[in-house]
Amino acid sequence: MVPQQDGKGEGAQEQPQISINKLTVHGGTVEYHDSEVAGPAHVTKIENIEIELTDIRSPLVDTESTFSFKAGVPAKSSTGLVSLDGKINLKSMDLDSKINIKDLDITHFKPYFQKRGDADVKKGALDVEIRAEVRKRTIKAPGRATIKGLKFDEGAGLKEKFLGVPRSAVLGLMRDSKADIGFNFIIEGDLSNPKFNLRENIMERITMGLAEKLGVSPERIVGRIVEKGVKETIGKGIKKLFR
């Protein structure tokens, strides 16, 4: 235990510098219970967690630490593999990292994207590559997503939607691309803004990226991405999402 000093008053002493060369986690497991999207809570298990973080100092100093993270996300059809690596300034929280997700079973995450009246997804996997940078609490993260082996309930109607776009358009693109759908997107925002929700922003940008790939007007799906009260301006304001 290191005594904390406020640096004020008589007898105040400078806090001693503590350095940790490397922090590691092996074989970790986390269960994430999310009651906001489902009741009872939707449970996502993350297993075989491997973490390495170097050069940790207290008090924090303006220097970069390297980090890596690897884990598996088991689900019904496959176990997704998630990896992150890069550099982070623990004092400013500036970040430069690469994120890779492979074979993530999207059926496990239906509570996050499948709304009432949408096409029922029976099978599919997701690959994602992102290069994320955070500077002065502002994130800019261009990425590419690939949806693989997507299958819907055969009894569903062609007018139903997937991520806000017509199911018929998705099926048509799957025929042309041999069942894989790849598209680019970009995540941007101010992490200090209390209205900015990173998870919702990712879903919005993936939705808009898919719409752009399919040639669907962004105005046609604006209702889907503002349903939680985050209003966007139709027209130029919406099209900025394609930057």
Side-chain angles (χ1 to χ4, degrees), residues 178-214:
K178 297 181 181 180
D180 288 354
I181 303 174
F183 52 91
N184 298 324
F185 62 92
I186 185 168
I187 302 164
E188 293 180 295
D190 181 1
L191 298 176
S192 300
N193 186 342
K195 294 183 179 180
F196 180 82
N197 183 303
L198 183 60
R199 186 185 70 191
E200 292 178 8
N201 189 272
I202 291 173
M203 286 303 305
E204 291 172 6
R205 298 309 172 108
I206 288 179
T207 298
M208 299 304 292
L210 178 60
E212 182 182 31
K213 178 74 174 184
L214 294 171

PDB file of all heavy atoms in Angstrom, residues 178-214:
ATOM      1  N   LYS A 178     -20.916 -14.530 -53.748  1.00  0.00           N
ATOM      2  CA  LYS A 178     -20.724 -15.888 -53.246  1.00  0.00           C
ATOM      3  C   LYS A 178     -20.883 -15.962 -51.730  1.00  0.00           C
ATOM      4  O   LYS A 178     -20.085 -16.552 -51.015  1.00  0.00           O
ATOM      5  CB  LYS A 178     -19.359 -16.412 -53.673  1.00  0.00           C
ATOM      6  CG  LYS A 178     -19.197 -16.518 -55.182  1.00  0.00           C
ATOM      7  CD  LYS A 178     -17.840 -17.069 -55.552  1.00  0.00           C
ATOM      8  CE  LYS A 178     -17.686 -17.147 -57.067  1.00  0.00           C
ATOM      9  NZ  LYS A 178     -16.360 -17.681 -57.464  1.00  0.00           N
ATOM     10  N   ALA A 179     -21.919 -15.329 -51.242  1.00  0.00           N
ATOM     11  CA  ALA A 179     -22.386 -15.407 -49.849  1.00  0.00           C
ATOM     12  C   ALA A 179     -21.611 -14.538 -48.865  1.00  0.00           C
ATOM     13  O   ALA A 179     -21.971 -14.458 -47.698  1.00  0.00           O
ATOM     14  CB  ALA A 179     -22.414 -16.840 -49.345  1.00  0.00           C
ATOM     15  N   ASP A 180     -20.544 -13.861 -49.295  1.00  0.00           N
ATOM     16  CA  ASP A 180     -19.821 -12.951 -48.408  1.00  0.00           C
ATOM     17  C   ASP A 180     -20.129 -11.510 -48.785  1.00  0.00           C
ATOM     18  O   ASP A 180     -20.166 -11.161 -49.965  1.00  0.00           O
ATOM     19  CB  ASP A 180     -18.310 -13.181 -48.498  1.00  0.00           C
ATOM     20  CG  ASP A 180     -17.877 -14.487 -47.846  1.00  0.00           C
ATOM     21  OD1 ASP A 180     -18.738 -15.141 -47.232  1.00  0.00           O
ATOM     22  OD2 ASP A 180     -16.697 -14.838 -47.965  1.00  0.00           O
ATOM     23  N   ILE A 181     -20.355 -10.671 -47.765  1.00  0.00           N
ATOM     24  CA  ILE A 181     -20.647  -9.257 -47.993  1.00  0.00           C
ATOM     25  C   ILE A 181     -19.603  -8.433 -47.247  1.00  0.00           C
ATOM     26  O   ILE A 181     -19.551  -8.450 -46.015  1.00  0.00           O
ATOM     27  CB  ILE A 181     -22.053  -8.876 -47.496  1.00  0.00           C
ATOM     28  CG1 ILE A 181     -23.121  -9.746 -48.155  1.00  0.00           C
ATOM     29  CG2 ILE A 181     -22.338  -7.405 -47.760  1.00  0.00           C
ATOM     30  CD1 ILE A 181     -24.508  -9.534 -47.602  1.00  0.00           C
ATOM     31  N   GLY A 182     -18.761  -7.720 -47.972  1.00  0.00           N
ATOM     32  CA  GLY A 182     -17.736  -6.896 -47.353  1.00  0.00           C
ATOM     33  C   GLY A 182     -17.973  -5.423 -47.619  1.00  0.00           C
ATOM     34  O   GLY A 182     -18.368  -5.036 -48.723  1.00  0.00           O
ATOM     35  N   PHE A 183     -17.750  -4.589 -46.610  1.00  0.00           N
ATOM     36  CA  PHE A 183     -17.959  -3.145 -46.783  1.00  0.00           C
ATOM     37  C   PHE A 183     -17.113  -2.384 -45.769  1.00  0.00           C
ATOM     38  O   PHE A 183     -16.730  -2.908 -44.727  1.00  0.00           O
ATOM     39  CB  PHE A 183     -19.437  -2.772 -46.621  1.00  0.00           C
ATOM     40  CG  PHE A 183     -20.058  -3.276 -45.350  1.00  0.00           C
ATOM     41  CD1 PHE A 183     -20.062  -2.513 -44.196  1.00  0.00           C
ATOM     42  CD2 PHE A 183     -20.644  -4.535 -45.295  1.00  0.00           C
ATOM     43  CE1 PHE A 183     -20.618  -2.980 -43.024  1.00  0.00           C
ATOM     44  CE2 PHE A 183     -21.216  -5.011 -44.129  1.00  0.00           C
ATOM     45  CZ  PHE A 183     -21.199  -4.234 -42.990  1.00  0.00           C
ATOM     46  N   ASN A 184     -16.828  -1.124 -46.095  1.00  0.00           N
ATOM     47  CA  ASN A 184     -16.030  -0.258 -45.233  1.00  0.00           C
ATOM     48  C   ASN A 184     -16.929   0.613 -44.362  1.00  0.00           C
ATOM     49  O   ASN A 184     -18.080   0.896 -44.717  1.00  0.00           O
ATOM     50  CB  ASN A 184     -15.124   0.640 -46.080  1.00  0.00           C
ATOM     51  CG  ASN A 184     -14.137  -0.162 -46.913  1.00  0.00           C
ATOM     52  OD1 ASN A 184     -13.636  -1.189 -46.481  1.00  0.00           O
ATOM     53  ND2 ASN A 184     -13.872   0.312 -48.122  1.00  0.00           N
ATOM     54  N   PHE A 185     -16.393   1.060 -43.227  1.00  0.00           N
ATOM     55  CA  PHE A 185     -17.105   1.987 -42.356  1.00  0.00           C
ATOM     56  C   PHE A 185     -16.063   2.777 -41.567  1.00  0.00           C
ATOM     57  O   PHE A 185     -14.870   2.447 -41.587  1.00  0.00           O
ATOM     58  CB  PHE A 185     -18.046   1.231 -41.398  1.00  0.00           C
ATOM     59  CG  PHE A 185     -17.336   0.297 -40.456  1.00  0.00           C
ATOM     60  CD1 PHE A 185     -16.940   0.720 -39.196  1.00  0.00           C
ATOM     61  CD2 PHE A 185     -17.058  -1.020 -40.829  1.00  0.00           C
ATOM     62  CE1 PHE A 185     -16.272  -0.141 -38.327  1.00  0.00           C
ATOM     63  CE2 PHE A 185     -16.395  -1.888 -39.962  1.00  0.00           C
ATOM     64  CZ  PHE A 185     -16.007  -1.444 -38.719  1.00  0.00           C
ATOM     65  N   ILE A 186     -16.504   3.809 -40.881  1.00  0.00           N
ATOM     66  CA  ILE A 186     -15.608   4.593 -40.045  1.00  0.00           C
ATOM     67  C   ILE A 186     -16.342   5.036 -38.787  1.00  0.00           C
ATOM     68  O   ILE A 186     -17.487   5.478 -38.851  1.00  0.00           O
ATOM     69  CB  ILE A 186     -15.033   5.816 -40.802  1.00  0.00           C
ATOM     70  CG1 ILE A 186     -13.999   6.536 -39.931  1.00  0.00           C
ATOM     71  CG2 ILE A 186     -16.123   6.722 -41.287  1.00  0.00           C
ATOM     72  CD1 ILE A 186     -13.187   7.559 -40.698  1.00  0.00           C
ATOM     73  N   ILE A 187     -15.688   4.863 -37.651  1.00  0.00           N
ATOM     74  CA  ILE A 187     -16.240   5.266 -36.356  1.00  0.00           C
ATOM     75  C   ILE A 187     -15.559   6.560 -35.942  1.00  0.00           C
ATOM     76  O   ILE A 187     -14.332   6.638 -35.905  1.00  0.00           O
ATOM     77  CB  ILE A 187     -15.996   4.182 -35.292  1.00  0.00           C
ATOM     78  CG1 ILE A 187     -16.617   2.854 -35.734  1.00  0.00           C
ATOM     79  CG2 ILE A 187     -16.544   4.610 -33.932  1.00  0.00           C
ATOM     80  CD1 ILE A 187     -16.101   1.658 -34.962  1.00  0.00           C
ATOM     81  N   GLU A 188     -16.345   7.591 -35.634  1.00  0.00           N
ATOM     82  CA  GLU A 188     -15.802   8.873 -35.218  1.00  0.00           C
ATOM     83  C   GLU A 188     -16.659   9.439 -34.094  1.00  0.00           C
ATOM     84  O   GLU A 188     -17.877   9.232 -34.064  1.00  0.00           O
ATOM     85  CB  GLU A 188     -15.782   9.871 -36.382  1.00  0.00           C
ATOM     86  CG  GLU A 188     -14.827   9.508 -37.500  1.00  0.00           C
ATOM     87  CD  GLU A 188     -14.855  10.530 -38.624  1.00  0.00           C
ATOM     88  OE1 GLU A 188     -15.901  10.653 -39.271  1.00  0.00           O
ATOM     89  OE2 GLU A 188     -13.828  11.205 -38.835  1.00  0.00           O
ATOM     90  N   GLY A 189     -16.032  10.168 -33.169  1.00  0.00           N
ATOM     91  CA  GLY A 189     -16.818  10.800 -32.117  1.00  0.00           C
ATOM     92  C   GLY A 189     -15.964  11.307 -30.979  1.00  0.00           C
ATOM     93  O   GLY A 189     -14.777  10.993 -30.866  1.00  0.00           O
ATOM     94  N   ASP A 190     -16.595  12.097 -30.130  1.00  0.00           N
ATOM     95  CA  ASP A 190     -15.956  12.674 -28.949  1.00  0.00           C
ATOM     96  C   ASP A 190     -16.290  11.804 -27.747  1.00  0.00           C
ATOM     97  O   ASP A 190     -17.435  11.760 -27.298  1.00  0.00           O
ATOM     98  CB  ASP A 190     -16.454  14.106 -28.750  1.00  0.00           C
ATOM     99  CG  ASP A 190     -15.816  14.794 -27.549  1.00  0.00           C
ATOM    100  OD1 ASP A 190     -14.973  14.162 -26.877  1.00  0.00           O
ATOM    101  OD2 ASP A 190     -16.153  15.960 -27.279  1.00  0.00           O
ATOM    102  N   LEU A 191     -15.296  11.107 -27.213  1.00  0.00           N
ATOM    103  CA  LEU A 191     -15.536  10.213 -26.090  1.00  0.00           C
ATOM    104  C   LEU A 191     -15.921  10.955 -24.822  1.00  0.00           C
ATOM    105  O   LEU A 191     -16.447  10.355 -23.874  1.00  0.00           O
ATOM    106  CB  LEU A 191     -14.290   9.368 -25.825  1.00  0.00           C
ATOM    107  CG  LEU A 191     -13.856   8.452 -26.972  1.00  0.00           C
ATOM    108  CD1 LEU A 191     -12.553   7.754 -26.631  1.00  0.00           C
ATOM    109  CD2 LEU A 191     -14.938   7.439 -27.299  1.00  0.00           C
ATOM    110  N   SER A 192     -15.664  12.268 -24.773  1.00  0.00           N
ATOM    111  CA  SER A 192     -16.029  13.071 -23.602  1.00  0.00           C
ATOM    112  C   SER A 192     -17.484  13.504 -23.632  1.00  0.00           C
ATOM    113  O   SER A 192     -18.020  13.970 -22.620  1.00  0.00           O
ATOM    114  CB  SER A 192     -15.121  14.313 -23.508  1.00  0.00           C
ATOM    115  OG  SER A 192     -13.765  13.944 -23.376  1.00  0.00           O
ATOM    116  N   ASN A 193     -18.126  13.356 -24.793  1.00  0.00           N
ATOM    117  CA  ASN A 193     -19.520  13.754 -24.937  1.00  0.00           C
ATOM    118  C   ASN A 193     -20.416  12.690 -24.301  1.00  0.00           C
ATOM    119  O   ASN A 193     -20.413  11.543 -24.733  1.00  0.00           O
ATOM    120  CB  ASN A 193     -19.860  13.915 -26.416  1.00  0.00           C
ATOM    121  CG  ASN A 193     -21.261  14.462 -26.643  1.00  0.00           C
ATOM    122  OD1 ASN A 193     -22.117  14.431 -25.756  1.00  0.00           O
ATOM    123  ND2 ASN A 193     -21.510  14.964 -27.835  1.00  0.00           N
ATOM    124  N   PRO A 194     -21.187  13.038 -23.266  1.00  0.00           N
ATOM    125  CA  PRO A 194     -22.024  12.029 -22.599  1.00  0.00           C
ATOM    126  C   PRO A 194     -23.076  11.416 -23.520  1.00  0.00           C
ATOM    127  O   PRO A 194     -23.608  10.337 -23.222  1.00  0.00           O
ATOM    128  CB  PRO A 194     -22.675  12.813 -21.445  1.00  0.00           C
ATOM    129  CG  PRO A 194     -22.578  14.253 -21.838  1.00  0.00           C
ATOM    130  CD  PRO A 194     -21.330  14.377 -22.650  1.00  0.00           C
ATOM    131  N   LYS A 195     -23.384  12.070 -24.650  1.00  0.00           N
ATOM    132  CA  LYS A 195     -24.362  11.536 -25.587  1.00  0.00           C
ATOM    133  C   LYS A 195     -23.740  10.538 -26.554  1.00  0.00           C
ATOM    134  O   LYS A 195     -24.456   9.874 -27.305  1.00  0.00           O
ATOM    135  CB  LYS A 195     -25.014  12.676 -26.374  1.00  0.00           C
ATOM    136  CG  LYS A 195     -25.863  13.599 -25.518  1.00  0.00           C
ATOM    137  CD  LYS A 195     -26.545  14.652 -26.362  1.00  0.00           C
ATOM    138  CE  LYS A 195     -27.417  15.578 -25.516  1.00  0.00           C
ATOM    139  NZ  LYS A 195     -28.088  16.613 -26.343  1.00  0.00           N
ATOM    140  N   PHE A 196     -22.403  10.456 -26.551  1.00  0.00           N
ATOM    141  CA  PHE A 196     -21.728   9.533 -27.464  1.00  0.00           C
ATOM    142  C   PHE A 196     -21.662   8.151 -26.828  1.00  0.00           C
ATOM    143  O   PHE A 196     -21.107   7.979 -25.744  1.00  0.00           O
ATOM    144  CB  PHE A 196     -20.319  10.040 -27.780  1.00  0.00           C
ATOM    145  CG  PHE A 196     -19.553   9.142 -28.722  1.00  0.00           C
ATOM    146  CD1 PHE A 196     -19.749   9.222 -30.087  1.00  0.00           C
ATOM    147  CD2 PHE A 196     -18.647   8.216 -28.241  1.00  0.00           C
ATOM    148  CE1 PHE A 196     -19.052   8.402 -30.966  1.00  0.00           C
ATOM    149  CE2 PHE A 196     -17.935   7.383 -29.092  1.00  0.00           C
ATOM    150  CZ  PHE A 196     -18.141   7.490 -30.459  1.00  0.00           C
ATOM    151  N   ASN A 197     -22.235   7.174 -27.500  1.00  0.00           N
ATOM    152  CA  ASN A 197     -22.221   5.788 -27.035  1.00  0.00           C
ATOM    153  C   ASN A 197     -21.462   4.972 -28.071  1.00  0.00           C
ATOM    154  O   ASN A 197     -21.909   4.825 -29.210  1.00  0.00           O
ATOM    155  CB  ASN A 197     -23.655   5.265 -26.878  1.00  0.00           C
ATOM    156  CG  ASN A 197     -23.708   3.850 -26.334  1.00  0.00           C
ATOM    157  OD1 ASN A 197     -23.140   2.918 -26.888  1.00  0.00           O
ATOM    158  ND2 ASN A 197     -24.402   3.689 -25.210  1.00  0.00           N
ATOM    159  N   LEU A 198     -20.301   4.445 -27.683  1.00  0.00           N
ATOM    160  CA  LEU A 198     -19.433   3.771 -28.646  1.00  0.00           C
ATOM    161  C   LEU A 198     -20.112   2.553 -29.260  1.00  0.00           C
ATOM    162  O   LEU A 198     -20.037   2.342 -30.469  1.00  0.00           O
ATOM    163  CB  LEU A 198     -18.122   3.369 -27.961  1.00  0.00           C
ATOM    164  CG  LEU A 198     -17.072   2.717 -28.862  1.00  0.00           C
ATOM    165  CD1 LEU A 198     -16.672   3.647 -29.993  1.00  0.00           C
ATOM    166  CD2 LEU A 198     -15.851   2.313 -28.039  1.00  0.00           C
ATOM    167  N   ARG A 199     -20.803   1.757 -28.448  1.00  0.00           N
ATOM    168  CA  ARG A 199     -21.453   0.558 -28.975  1.00  0.00           C
ATOM    169  C   ARG A 199     -22.519   0.925 -30.000  1.00  0.00           C
ATOM    170  O   ARG A 199     -22.592   0.329 -31.085  1.00  0.00           O
ATOM    171  CB  ARG A 199     -22.087  -0.238 -27.828  1.00  0.00           C
ATOM    172  CG  ARG A 199     -22.671  -1.572 -28.265  1.00  0.00           C
ATOM    173  CD  ARG A 199     -23.392  -2.248 -27.124  1.00  0.00           C
ATOM    174  NE  ARG A 199     -24.629  -1.543 -26.795  1.00  0.00           N
ATOM    175  CZ  ARG A 199     -25.363  -1.777 -25.715  1.00  0.00           C
ATOM    176  NH1 ARG A 199     -24.967  -2.667 -24.842  1.00  0.00           N
ATOM    177  NH2 ARG A 199     -26.474  -1.114 -25.499  1.00  0.00           N
ATOM    178  N   GLU A 200     -23.352   1.923 -29.675  1.00  0.00           N
ATOM    179  CA  GLU A 200     -24.389   2.338 -30.610  1.00  0.00           C
ATOM    180  C   GLU A 200     -23.774   2.951 -31.862  1.00  0.00           C
ATOM    181  O   GLU A 200     -24.277   2.757 -32.973  1.00  0.00           O
ATOM    182  CB  GLU A 200     -25.328   3.333 -29.932  1.00  0.00           C
ATOM    183  CG  GLU A 200     -26.179   2.719 -28.826  1.00  0.00           C
ATOM    184  CD  GLU A 200     -27.068   3.746 -28.156  1.00  0.00           C
ATOM    185  OE1 GLU A 200     -27.132   4.893 -28.650  1.00  0.00           O
ATOM    186  OE2 GLU A 200     -27.689   3.416 -27.135  1.00  0.00           O
ATOM    187  N   ASN A 201     -22.674   3.700 -31.703  1.00  0.00           N
ATOM    188  CA  ASN A 201     -22.026   4.312 -32.857  1.00  0.00           C
ATOM    189  C   ASN A 201     -21.494   3.251 -33.802  1.00  0.00           C
ATOM    190  O   ASN A 201     -21.609   3.381 -35.029  1.00  0.00           O
ATOM    191  CB  ASN A 201     -20.894   5.221 -32.376  1.00  0.00           C
ATOM    192  CG  ASN A 201     -20.317   6.067 -33.497  1.00  0.00           C
ATOM    193  OD1 ASN A 201     -19.407   5.641 -34.194  1.00  0.00           O
ATOM    194  ND2 ASN A 201     -20.859   7.261 -33.664  1.00  0.00           N
ATOM    195  N   ILE A 202     -20.920   2.177 -33.255  1.00  0.00           N
ATOM    196  CA  ILE A 202     -20.422   1.096 -34.102  1.00  0.00           C
ATOM    197  C   ILE A 202     -21.557   0.475 -34.898  1.00  0.00           C
ATOM    198  O   ILE A 202     -21.443   0.249 -36.112  1.00  0.00           O
ATOM    199  CB  ILE A 202     -19.716   0.030 -33.239  1.00  0.00           C
ATOM    200  CG1 ILE A 202     -18.417   0.604 -32.661  1.00  0.00           C
ATOM    201  CG2 ILE A 202     -19.420  -1.220 -34.068  1.00  0.00           C
ATOM    202  CD1 ILE A 202     -17.750  -0.314 -31.662  1.00  0.00           C
ATOM    203  N   MET A 203     -22.696   0.203 -34.239  1.00  0.00           N
ATOM    204  CA  MET A 203     -23.833  -0.392 -34.937  1.00  0.00           C
ATOM    205  C   MET A 203     -24.358   0.537 -36.019  1.00  0.00           C
ATOM    206  O   MET A 203     -24.702   0.098 -37.121  1.00  0.00           O
ATOM    207  CB  MET A 203     -24.944  -0.716 -33.939  1.00  0.00           C
ATOM    208  CG  MET A 203     -24.659  -1.918 -33.054  1.00  0.00           C
ATOM    209  SD  MET A 203     -24.330  -3.426 -33.996  1.00  0.00           S
ATOM    210  CE  MET A 203     -25.807  -3.535 -35.016  1.00  0.00           C
ATOM    211  N   GLU A 204     -24.420   1.840 -35.729  1.00  0.00           N
ATOM    212  CA  GLU A 204     -24.904   2.800 -36.715  1.00  0.00           C
ATOM    213  C   GLU A 204     -24.001   2.826 -37.939  1.00  0.00           C
ATOM    214  O   GLU A 204     -24.469   2.813 -39.085  1.00  0.00           O
ATOM    215  CB  GLU A 204     -24.985   4.191 -36.096  1.00  0.00           C
ATOM    216  CG  GLU A 204     -26.073   4.336 -35.049  1.00  0.00           C
ATOM    217  CD  GLU A 204     -26.005   5.669 -34.329  1.00  0.00           C
ATOM    218  OE1 GLU A 204     -25.176   6.522 -34.743  1.00  0.00           O
ATOM    219  OE2 GLU A 204     -26.753   5.871 -33.365  1.00  0.00           O
ATOM    220  N   ARG A 205     -22.695   2.865 -37.709  1.00  0.00           N
ATOM    221  CA  ARG A 205     -21.761   2.970 -38.828  1.00  0.00           C
ATOM    222  C   ARG A 205     -21.738   1.692 -39.657  1.00  0.00           C
ATOM    223  O   ARG A 205     -21.586   1.748 -40.881  1.00  0.00           O
ATOM    224  CB  ARG A 205     -20.362   3.311 -38.302  1.00  0.00           C
ATOM    225  CG  ARG A 205     -20.293   4.652 -37.568  1.00  0.00           C
ATOM    226  CD  ARG A 205     -20.892   5.778 -38.394  1.00  0.00           C
ATOM    227  NE  ARG A 205     -21.002   6.997 -37.632  1.00  0.00           N
ATOM    228  CZ  ARG A 205     -20.221   8.081 -37.815  1.00  0.00           C
ATOM    229  NH1 ARG A 205     -19.297   8.073 -38.744  1.00  0.00           N
ATOM    230  NH2 ARG A 205     -20.406   9.164 -37.081  1.00  0.00           N
ATOM    231  N   ILE A 206     -21.861   0.529 -39.016  1.00  0.00           N
ATOM    232  CA  ILE A 206     -21.939  -0.719 -39.777  1.00  0.00           C
ATOM    233  C   ILE A 206     -23.224  -0.746 -40.606  1.00  0.00           C
ATOM    234  O   ILE A 206     -23.222  -1.159 -41.764  1.00  0.00           O
ATOM    235  CB  ILE A 206     -21.852  -1.923 -38.834  1.00  0.00           C
ATOM    236  CG1 ILE A 206     -20.419  -2.061 -38.292  1.00  0.00           C
ATOM    237  CG2 ILE A 206     -22.269  -3.212 -39.545  1.00  0.00           C
ATOM    238  CD1 ILE A 206     -20.232  -3.211 -37.330  1.00  0.00           C
ATOM    239  N   THR A 207     -24.330  -0.281 -40.014  1.00  0.00           N
ATOM    240  CA  THR A 207     -25.591  -0.209 -40.754  1.00  0.00           C
ATOM    241  C   THR A 207     -25.465   0.686 -41.972  1.00  0.00           C
ATOM    242  O   THR A 207     -25.886   0.333 -43.083  1.00  0.00           O
ATOM    243  CB  THR A 207     -26.715   0.305 -39.837  1.00  0.00           C
ATOM    244  OG1 THR A 207     -26.909  -0.613 -38.765  1.00  0.00           O
ATOM    245  CG2 THR A 207     -28.019   0.459 -40.603  1.00  0.00           C
ATOM    246  N   MET A 208     -24.867   1.875 -41.792  1.00  0.00           N
ATOM    247  CA  MET A 208     -24.725   2.797 -42.901  1.00  0.00           C
ATOM    248  C   MET A 208     -23.743   2.267 -43.941  1.00  0.00           C
ATOM    249  O   MET A 208     -23.929   2.466 -45.145  1.00  0.00           O
ATOM    250  CB  MET A 208     -24.253   4.156 -42.380  1.00  0.00           C
ATOM    251  CG  MET A 208     -25.215   4.819 -41.392  1.00  0.00           C
ATOM    252  SD  MET A 208     -26.891   5.047 -42.045  1.00  0.00           S
ATOM    253  CE  MET A 208     -26.586   6.290 -43.295  1.00  0.00           C
ATOM    254  N   GLY A 209     -22.690   1.577 -43.501  1.00  0.00           N
ATOM    255  CA  GLY A 209     -21.746   0.992 -44.444  1.00  0.00           C
ATOM    256  C   GLY A 209     -22.394  -0.072 -45.306  1.00  0.00           C
ATOM    257  O   GLY A 209     -22.147  -0.155 -46.520  1.00  0.00           O
ATOM    258  N   LEU A 210     -23.249  -0.904 -44.698  1.00  0.00           N
ATOM    259  CA  LEU A 210     -23.963  -1.922 -45.462  1.00  0.00           C
ATOM    260  C   LEU A 210     -24.938  -1.270 -46.432  1.00  0.00           C
ATOM    261  O   LEU A 210     -25.063  -1.703 -47.587  1.00  0.00           O
ATOM    262  CB  LEU A 210     -24.708  -2.861 -44.505  1.00  0.00           C
ATOM    263  CG  LEU A 210     -25.551  -3.953 -45.156  1.00  0.00           C
ATOM    264  CD1 LEU A 210     -24.694  -4.874 -46.011  1.00  0.00           C
ATOM    265  CD2 LEU A 210     -26.295  -4.754 -44.091  1.00  0.00           C
ATOM    266  N   ALA A 211     -25.632  -0.221 -45.976  1.00  0.00           N
ATOM    267  CA  ALA A 211     -26.576   0.477 -46.854  1.00  0.00           C
ATOM    268  C   ALA A 211     -25.864   1.057 -48.065  1.00  0.00           C
ATOM    269  O   ALA A 211     -26.344   0.975 -49.202  1.00  0.00           O
ATOM    270  CB  ALA A 211     -27.292   1.581 -46.071  1.00  0.00           C
ATOM    271  N   GLU A 212     -24.691   1.648 -47.841  1.00  0.00           N
ATOM    272  CA  GLU A 212     -23.914   2.214 -48.950  1.00  0.00           C
ATOM    273  C   GLU A 212     -23.500   1.117 -49.927  1.00  0.00           C
ATOM    274  O   GLU A 212     -23.563   1.306 -51.152  1.00  0.00           O
ATOM    275  CB  GLU A 212     -22.690   2.930 -48.401  1.00  0.00           C
ATOM    276  CG  GLU A 212     -21.846   3.599 -49.484  1.00  0.00           C
ATOM    277  CD  GLU A 212     -20.618   4.251 -48.914  1.00  0.00           C
ATOM    278  OE1 GLU A 212     -20.087   3.744 -47.901  1.00  0.00           O
ATOM    279  OE2 GLU A 212     -20.159   5.261 -49.483  1.00  0.00           O
ATOM    280  N   LYS A 213     -23.069  -0.028 -49.390  1.00  0.00           N
ATOM    281  CA  LYS A 213     -22.670  -1.144 -50.247  1.00  0.00           C
ATOM    282  C   LYS A 213     -23.823  -1.608 -51.124  1.00  0.00           C
ATOM    283  O   LYS A 213     -23.629  -1.964 -52.297  1.00  0.00           O
ATOM    284  CB  LYS A 213     -22.193  -2.300 -49.356  1.00  0.00           C
ATOM    285  CG  LYS A 213     -21.791  -3.560 -50.118  1.00  0.00           C
ATOM    286  CD  LYS A 213     -20.482  -3.383 -50.817  1.00  0.00           C
ATOM    287  CE  LYS A 213     -20.017  -4.686 -51.455  1.00  0.00           C
ATOM    288  NZ  LYS A 213     -18.679  -4.570 -52.072  1.00  0.00           N
ATOM    289  N   LEU A 214     -25.035  -1.594 -50.582  1.00  0.00           N
ATOM    290  CA  LEU A 214     -26.216  -2.065 -51.305  1.00  0.00           C
ATOM    291  C   LEU A 214     -26.869  -0.982 -52.141  1.00  0.00           C
ATOM    292  O   LEU A 214     -27.860  -1.237 -52.820  1.00  0.00           O
ATOM    293  CB  LEU A 214     -27.231  -2.642 -50.314  1.00  0.00           C
ATOM    294  CG  LEU A 214     -26.793  -3.908 -49.576  1.00  0.00           C
ATOM    295  CD1 LEU A 214     -27.775  -4.257 -48.477  1.00  0.00           C
ATOM    296  CD2 LEU A 214     -26.657  -5.070 -50.548  1.00  0.00           C
TER     297      LEU A 214
END
